[in-house]
Amino acid sequence: MEWGLLASTSLGALIGIGTTLAADHLRARRSRQDADDATRRQLYGDYLAALARTRNHLRVAARPSGLSPDERARRAAEAFHESSAYELRYQIAVVAPVGVVEASTSAFRALRDIKDQVEVGALHTDDSYVAARERWEFLLAELRMAMRRDLGRPVF
C-alpha cells in the first residue's frame, strides 16, 4: 500500500511539473511572437513612411517650378538617398516573410522607376511619368496588403 501511495504522489508531481513547464514554454513562445510582431509592425510602418517621403519629394521634383532639369534630377536622386528606404528595405528582407519581401522589392523598384523618369526630365503630366506613378500606386497597395496579411490584419 505504501508503494501505491508513493507512486501516485510521484505521478501527480510529474504531471504538475510537466504541465507547468508546458505552460511556461507556451507563454514564452507567445511572448516572443508578440515581440516579433511588434518589431515587424514598427518596421513596416517606418518603411511605408520612408517610401511616402520619397514619393512626395519625387512628386515635388516632377512639377514644373522653375527648376532646371539638372536640379530636378539632383532632387530626385536626393529623395532616394535621404529617405532611409534602402536601409529599411534590407531590414525587411531579414525579418519579413517571402511575400512581404517580394512586394517590398516590387514597390521599391516602381518608386525607383519614378525617380528615373524625373531624372531624364519627365514632368508629372508626361505619359511615362503617369504610367510609372500608376504602377507604383498599384504595387504600394499590394505591399500594404502583404504586410497586413503578415500581421494578421484584415485585407481590404
Side-chain angles (χ1 to χ4, degrees), residues 69-87:
D70 288 341
E71 178 62 18
R72 289 190 310 115
R74 187 188 65 73
R75 287 186 180 192
E78 276 181 7
F80 252 77
H81 297 294
E82 294 177 0
S83 72
S84 302
Y86 275 107
E87 296 87 348

Side-chain angles (χ1 to χ4, degrees), residues 41-121:
R41 189 173 24 259
Q42 180 66 46
L43 177 58
Y44 292 172
D46 291 347
Y47 184 58
L48 291 173
L51 292 177
R53 278 191 305 275
T54 303
R55 170 66 183 103
N56 188 53
H57 289 300
L58 292 172
R59 181 185 57 77
V60 170
R63 302 246 176 225
S65 60
L67 297 176
S68 71
D70 288 341
E71 178 62 18
R72 289 190 310 115
R74 187 188 65 73
R75 287 186 180 192
E78 276 181 7
F80 252 77
H81 297 294
E82 294 177 0
S83 72
S84 302
Y86 275 107
E87 296 87 348
L88 293 168
R89 183 175 139 228
Y90 292 126
Q91 289 179 36
I92 284 178
V94 172
V95 302
V98 172
V100 173
V101 173
E102 289 172 349
S104 169
T105 300
S106 295
F108 183 86
R109 288 179 178 161
L111 190 57
R112 192 174 57 203
D113 290 345
I114 294 174
K115 175 192 72 81
D116 293 346
Q117 289 297 313
V118 175
E119 286 181 329
V120 297

Side-chain angles (χ1 to χ4, degrees), residues 116-133:
D116 293 346
Q117 289 297 313
V118 175
E119 286 181 329
V120 297
L123 295 175
H124 75 286
T125 55
D126 292 348
D127 290 341
S128 60
Y129 180 91
V130 171
R133 188 195 70 226

Side-chain angles (χ1 to χ4, degrees), residues 1-13:
M1 181 112 162
E2 292 177 17
W3 285 105
L5 181 60
L6 180 60
S8 65
T9 301
S10 297
L11 182 60

